[in-house]
Amino acid sequence: MPTTPAQAPSGPDPRRWLALVAVALSALVISFDMTILNVALPTLASQLRATTGQQQWIVDSYTVVFAAAMLPAGLIGDRFGRRRTLTAGLALFALASAVGMLADSPGTVVAARGAMGLAGALVMPMSLAVIPGLFPAAEQRRATAVLSTALAAGAPLGPLIGGFLLQHLWWGSVFAINIPLTAVGIVACVLLLPETRNPAAPRLDLLGAALGAGGLAALTFGIIEIPERGWTDPLVLAMLGGSLAALTALVLRSRRQQDPMLDLALLAAPAFRWSAVAATLVSLVLFGAFFVLPLYFQSVLGADAFGTGLRMMPMMLGLMVAAKLSDRLVARTGPRTVIALGLALLAAALLLGSRTGTSDGYAPAAVWLVLLGLGMGLALITAQATAMLTLPPARAGVGSGLLQTLRQVGGAIGVAVFGSLLAGSYRGALETSVFPPDAVHRAEQSVVAADAVAAAAGDRALAAAAHTAYVHGMTVVLLAAGVTAALSAVLVALRMPAAEARAGGEGGPDGPDGVADGADGVADGADGVADGADGVGGGAGPLSQNAAAPAADHR
């Protein structure tokens, strides 16, 4: 059935708030799953005997596919129907979760996580895209706040519920819980959401999407293999070279197209460019930090999965404080100062964490985790909202896609680089002479494997050697991440244009950008709040994308 331009509705949909609940549930499933894996990863690695590289791919397979699919996912929804795309993404997420639940090898989990990344890329932008079609302008801020709350709730609930499931059930339960949640979301969306589409959306660039996905996958794989094979290994060189070729081809292809899926011309605007750089650097630093913490809490401090979730909660306290303070700080000082301050606080937290010793308890970590959440919130919330406020309405969609792709790429590289640094530092510091000769190779793979060797031998000295080596590797990672955050803070403070960034937030209600309401929108943009809370994932840009988009066609 052909679509026709949308007619102005006679009044708001009376079921719009119920529909928003359905949308929020859909987004909560994605947010929930991202953080539940952080707690489940050590248990999963132990049960499936996953190496450090395989653990990285369990995380990175989701991130890489999610990043690569974000650009085409928005166009798919615009052209073929947002509700249809949303429900298809939820169905794929449930199917991939079932595969993960039944997996008996790390490779199967990696494949399932990749499919879940594709599903998440379909769900996240579409869950945000329906708000302008459901709500009048006067209610859109309130609606986005509700959705933001749901997204943020997934971050603390994931580790807690995941830890509870792992404590009482088998590791596959962290995947199994997604199935009933997605089923409820599908039914609610089908019954409550109207179908919308935008026939003016550009055509989907399949070749461009393939080049992006292949380039990112090759880059991540090459970095992960460096500690095992070395920089001069032919496979590593082939992966890095292939990545460079694919991503270069994508850039050249995008520059030749009139309506490219990857619109790099947007980076010509200094405010957008530096906000995107800041958001990408925050993601890179945070993904590295999040990779090392769960193993520290479980292997070194002896916490179970639920206890690990509880130990991550101080970070959420800092994040909530940042969400409350960011709008006031932006109004007084401008976004550049707030972003630089957030990065400086991130640096301080990570550098404090880098001083961790093997005999330290949990108290020092609790202190710097609060500071980590505060810095993350100030930097990421402000950077994302500022970037979106600089975009003209006609470019809000591709702009948000570009922003999210860059941020996810930063996260993937963070996991790969810091994971490789952790593996190399751990292996270099491990005192292998205390391990049985036939167990040395296994102990070198990860601290989880070393703990298993120590448990089988009943020798606490073996475990102590592994824990000492792991703490050394963790502190090296945190030191590198802290230095990166500090340099990023200096870079933003010196190069980001305060006047242009501030102007975006002062557009006033219903200003020309049409993306947010005045200066408050910089801090209150629901995307940024949710993204900061998720920490490892979540899509921020599409909310602003669709707030600025023209009225979609309704069916």
Side-chain angles (χ1 to χ4, degrees), residues 221-245:
F221 180 80
I223 294 174
I224 288 175
E225 290 298 311
I226 287 172
E228 292 286 341
R229 299 173 180 269
W231 285 93
T232 59
D233 182 79
L235 179 61
V236 170
L237 293 176
M239 289 294 103
L240 297 181
S243 170
L244 178 62

mmCIF file of all heavy atoms in Angstrom, residues 221-245:
data_model
loop_
_atom_site.group_PDB
_atom_site.id
_atom_site.type_symbol
_atom_site.label_atom_id
_atom_site.label_comp_id
_atom_site.label_asym_id
_atom_site.label_seq_id
_atom_site.Cartn_x
_atom_site.Cartn_y
_atom_site.Cartn_z
ATOM 1 N N PHE A 221 39.510 -7.128 15.541
ATOM 2 C CA PHE A 221 40.168 -8.436 15.556
ATOM 3 C C PHE A 221 41.688 -8.279 15.544
ATOM 4 O O PHE A 221 42.412 -8.966 16.278
ATOM 5 C CB PHE A 221 39.715 -9.269 14.362
ATOM 6 C CG PHE A 221 40.336 -10.633 14.309
ATOM 7 C CD1 PHE A 221 39.838 -11.661 15.087
ATOM 8 C CD2 PHE A 221 41.421 -10.890 13.493
ATOM 9 C CE1 PHE A 221 40.407 -12.925 15.047
ATOM 10 C CE2 PHE A 221 42.003 -12.140 13.439
ATOM 11 C CZ PHE A 221 41.493 -13.162 14.224
ATOM 12 N N GLY A 222 42.175 -7.378 14.705
ATOM 13 C CA GLY A 222 43.620 -7.173 14.636
ATOM 14 C C GLY A 222 44.198 -6.707 15.950
ATOM 15 O O GLY A 222 45.252 -7.188 16.388
ATOM 16 N N ILE A 223 43.506 -5.771 16.627
ATOM 17 C CA ILE A 223 44.011 -5.261 17.900
ATOM 18 C C ILE A 223 43.987 -6.347 18.967
ATOM 19 O O ILE A 223 44.916 -6.478 19.773
ATOM 20 C CB ILE A 223 43.187 -4.038 18.346
ATOM 21 C CG1 ILE A 223 43.415 -2.872 17.373
ATOM 22 C CG2 ILE A 223 43.552 -3.612 19.756
ATOM 23 C CD1 ILE A 223 42.544 -1.676 17.634
ATOM 24 N N ILE A 224 42.919 -7.159 18.984
ATOM 25 C CA ILE A 224 42.812 -8.219 19.979
ATOM 26 C C ILE A 224 43.925 -9.246 19.813
ATOM 27 O O ILE A 224 44.447 -9.786 20.798
ATOM 28 C CB ILE A 224 41.429 -8.896 19.881
ATOM 29 C CG1 ILE A 224 40.344 -7.951 20.414
ATOM 30 C CG2 ILE A 224 41.399 -10.214 20.640
ATOM 31 C CD1 ILE A 224 38.946 -8.476 20.258
ATOM 32 N N GLU A 225 44.321 -9.527 18.575
ATOM 33 C CA GLU A 225 45.317 -10.559 18.327
ATOM 34 C C GLU A 225 46.749 -10.090 18.522
ATOM 35 O O GLU A 225 47.678 -10.911 18.523
ATOM 36 C CB GLU A 225 45.151 -11.100 16.898
ATOM 37 C CG GLU A 225 43.891 -11.927 16.693
ATOM 38 C CD GLU A 225 43.868 -13.163 17.569
ATOM 39 O OE1 GLU A 225 44.881 -13.890 17.593
ATOM 40 O OE2 GLU A 225 42.854 -13.392 18.246
ATOM 41 N N ILE A 226 46.958 -8.788 18.686
ATOM 42 C CA ILE A 226 48.326 -8.278 18.810
ATOM 43 C C ILE A 226 49.081 -8.900 19.987
ATOM 44 O O ILE A 226 50.239 -9.324 19.830
ATOM 45 C CB ILE A 226 48.322 -6.739 18.888
ATOM 46 C CG1 ILE A 226 47.997 -6.144 17.512
ATOM 47 C CG2 ILE A 226 49.668 -6.209 19.380
ATOM 48 C CD1 ILE A 226 47.786 -4.649 17.521
ATOM 49 N N PRO A 227 48.490 -8.992 21.217
ATOM 50 C CA PRO A 227 49.260 -9.590 22.319
ATOM 51 C C PRO A 227 49.656 -11.044 22.063
ATOM 52 O O PRO A 227 50.718 -11.491 22.529
ATOM 53 C CB PRO A 227 48.291 -9.489 23.509
ATOM 54 C CG PRO A 227 47.378 -8.363 23.170
ATOM 55 C CD PRO A 227 47.195 -8.457 21.690
ATOM 56 N N GLU A 228 48.821 -11.786 21.356
ATOM 57 C CA GLU A 228 49.118 -13.200 21.095
ATOM 58 C C GLU A 228 50.113 -13.371 19.966
ATOM 59 O O GLU A 228 51.015 -14.217 20.037
ATOM 60 C CB GLU A 228 47.826 -13.946 20.750
ATOM 61 C CG GLU A 228 46.847 -14.083 21.912
ATOM 62 C CD GLU A 228 47.318 -15.109 22.922
ATOM 63 O OE1 GLU A 228 48.162 -15.938 22.570
ATOM 64 O OE2 GLU A 228 46.845 -15.058 24.074
ATOM 65 N N ARG A 229 49.970 -12.587 18.905
ATOM 66 C CA ARG A 229 50.735 -12.823 17.682
ATOM 67 C C ARG A 229 51.861 -11.816 17.451
ATOM 68 O O ARG A 229 52.815 -12.117 16.737
ATOM 69 C CB ARG A 229 49.784 -12.796 16.465
ATOM 70 C CG ARG A 229 48.701 -13.857 16.518
ATOM 71 C CD ARG A 229 47.705 -13.671 15.372
ATOM 72 N NE ARG A 229 46.652 -14.682 15.384
ATOM 73 C CZ ARG A 229 46.719 -15.830 14.739
ATOM 74 N NH1 ARG A 229 47.799 -16.111 14.014
ATOM 75 N NH2 ARG A 229 45.730 -16.699 14.793
ATOM 76 N N GLY A 230 51.719 -10.600 18.002
ATOM 77 C CA GLY A 230 52.714 -9.559 17.763
ATOM 78 C C GLY A 230 52.316 -8.664 16.603
ATOM 79 O O GLY A 230 51.501 -9.033 15.747
ATOM 80 N N TRP A 231 52.903 -7.466 16.580
ATOM 81 C CA TRP A 231 52.535 -6.473 15.565
ATOM 82 C C TRP A 231 52.917 -6.890 14.148
ATOM 83 O O TRP A 231 52.295 -6.439 13.182
ATOM 84 C CB TRP A 231 53.227 -5.149 15.901
ATOM 85 C CG TRP A 231 52.595 -4.414 17.043
ATOM 86 C CD1 TRP A 231 52.936 -4.495 18.361
ATOM 87 C CD2 TRP A 231 51.497 -3.498 16.968
ATOM 88 N NE1 TRP A 231 52.110 -3.681 19.113
ATOM 89 C CE2 TRP A 231 51.227 -3.055 18.282
ATOM 90 C CE3 TRP A 231 50.715 -3.004 15.925
ATOM 91 C CZ2 TRP A 231 50.217 -2.149 18.578
ATOM 92 C CZ3 TRP A 231 49.708 -2.094 16.212
ATOM 93 C CH2 TRP A 231 49.467 -1.679 17.522
ATOM 94 N N THR A 232 53.934 -7.706 14.010
ATOM 95 C CA THR A 232 54.411 -8.058 12.673
ATOM 96 C C THR A 232 53.795 -9.345 12.129
ATOM 97 O O THR A 232 54.164 -9.787 11.040
ATOM 98 C CB THR A 232 55.942 -8.204 12.689
ATOM 99 O OG1 THR A 232 56.300 -9.223 13.636
ATOM 100 C CG2 THR A 232 56.605 -6.893 13.076
ATOM 101 N N ASP A 233 52.884 -9.944 12.875
ATOM 102 C CA ASP A 233 52.248 -11.178 12.400
ATOM 103 C C ASP A 233 51.456 -10.906 11.123
ATOM 104 O O ASP A 233 50.756 -9.888 11.020
ATOM 105 C CB ASP A 233 51.306 -11.716 13.479
ATOM 106 C CG ASP A 233 50.651 -13.014 13.063
ATOM 107 O OD1 ASP A 233 51.299 -14.068 13.160
ATOM 108 O OD2 ASP A 233 49.470 -12.955 12.618
ATOM 109 N N PRO A 234 51.536 -11.780 10.113
ATOM 110 C CA PRO A 234 50.829 -11.536 8.852
ATOM 111 C C PRO A 234 49.319 -11.362 9.017
ATOM 112 O O PRO A 234 48.718 -10.520 8.332
ATOM 113 C CB PRO A 234 51.159 -12.790 8.022
ATOM 114 C CG PRO A 234 52.452 -13.278 8.583
ATOM 115 C CD PRO A 234 52.412 -12.979 10.042
ATOM 116 N N LEU A 235 48.705 -12.147 9.910
ATOM 117 C CA LEU A 235 47.264 -12.015 10.093
ATOM 118 C C LEU A 235 46.903 -10.662 10.699
ATOM 119 O O LEU A 235 45.944 -10.011 10.271
ATOM 120 C CB LEU A 235 46.742 -13.143 10.992
ATOM 121 C CG LEU A 235 45.232 -13.113 11.276
ATOM 122 C CD1 LEU A 235 44.433 -13.231 9.989
ATOM 123 C CD2 LEU A 235 44.842 -14.219 12.251
ATOM 124 N N VAL A 236 47.684 -10.225 11.681
ATOM 125 C CA VAL A 236 47.431 -8.915 12.294
ATOM 126 C C VAL A 236 47.588 -7.811 11.258
ATOM 127 O O VAL A 236 46.743 -6.908 11.141
ATOM 128 C CB VAL A 236 48.383 -8.692 13.480
ATOM 129 C CG1 VAL A 236 48.307 -7.242 13.974
ATOM 130 C CG2 VAL A 236 48.071 -9.651 14.612
ATOM 131 N N LEU A 237 48.659 -7.873 10.483
ATOM 132 C CA LEU A 237 48.877 -6.851 9.456
ATOM 133 C C LEU A 237 47.771 -6.870 8.415
ATOM 134 O O LEU A 237 47.317 -5.814 7.941
ATOM 135 C CB LEU A 237 50.234 -7.068 8.795
ATOM 136 C CG LEU A 237 51.471 -6.839 9.693
ATOM 137 C CD1 LEU A 237 52.749 -7.178 8.930
ATOM 138 C CD2 LEU A 237 51.511 -5.399 10.186
ATOM 139 N N ALA A 238 47.311 -8.066 8.062
ATOM 140 C CA ALA A 238 46.242 -8.174 7.072
ATOM 141 C C ALA A 238 44.940 -7.575 7.606
ATOM 142 O O ALA A 238 44.217 -6.876 6.880
ATOM 143 C CB ALA A 238 46.031 -9.635 6.689
ATOM 144 N N MET A 239 44.641 -7.839 8.880
ATOM 145 C CA MET A 239 43.414 -7.296 9.469
ATOM 146 C C MET A 239 43.465 -5.773 9.556
ATOM 147 O O MET A 239 42.512 -5.080 9.193
ATOM 148 C CB MET A 239 43.194 -7.891 10.861
ATOM 149 C CG MET A 239 42.804 -9.355 10.878
ATOM 150 S SD MET A 239 41.182 -9.676 10.135
ATOM 151 C CE MET A 239 41.699 -10.335 8.541
ATOM 152 N N LEU A 240 44.582 -5.245 10.050
ATOM 153 C CA LEU A 240 44.696 -3.791 10.174
ATOM 154 C C LEU A 240 44.712 -3.117 8.806
ATOM 155 O O LEU A 240 44.079 -2.062 8.608
ATOM 156 C CB LEU A 240 45.953 -3.438 10.956
ATOM 157 C CG LEU A 240 46.003 -3.928 12.412
ATOM 158 C CD1 LEU A 240 47.308 -3.494 13.081
ATOM 159 C CD2 LEU A 240 44.810 -3.418 13.200
ATOM 160 N N GLY A 241 45.407 -3.724 7.850
ATOM 161 C CA GLY A 241 45.418 -3.160 6.504
ATOM 162 C C GLY A 241 44.057 -3.235 5.832
ATOM 163 O O GLY A 241 43.620 -2.290 5.170
ATOM 164 N N GLY A 242 43.376 -4.376 6.003
ATOM 165 C CA GLY A 242 42.032 -4.502 5.438
ATOM 166 C C GLY A 242 41.068 -3.526 6.064
ATOM 167 O O GLY A 242 40.188 -2.964 5.383
ATOM 168 N N SER A 243 41.199 -3.294 7.368
ATOM 169 C CA SER A 243 40.341 -2.323 8.041
ATOM 170 C C SER A 243 40.562 -0.928 7.472
ATOM 171 O O SER A 243 39.604 -0.203 7.181
ATOM 172 C CB SER A 243 40.623 -2.333 9.539
ATOM 173 O OG SER A 243 39.980 -1.253 10.173
ATOM 174 N N LEU A 244 41.821 -0.552 7.320
ATOM 175 C CA LEU A 244 42.128 0.768 6.770
ATOM 176 C C LEU A 244 41.560 0.924 5.365
ATOM 177 O O LEU A 244 40.969 1.964 5.025
ATOM 178 C CB LEU A 244 43.645 0.980 6.759
ATOM 179 C CG LEU A 244 44.134 2.304 6.172
ATOM 180 C CD1 LEU A 244 43.618 3.483 6.986
ATOM 181 C CD2 LEU A 244 45.665 2.323 6.119
ATOM 182 N N ALA A 245 41.687 -0.118 4.562
ATOM 183 C CA ALA A 245 41.179 -0.054 3.191
ATOM 184 C C ALA A 245 39.653 0.061 3.166
ATOM 185 O O ALA A 245 39.088 0.870 2.421
ATOM 186 C CB ALA A 245 41.630 -1.290 2.409
#
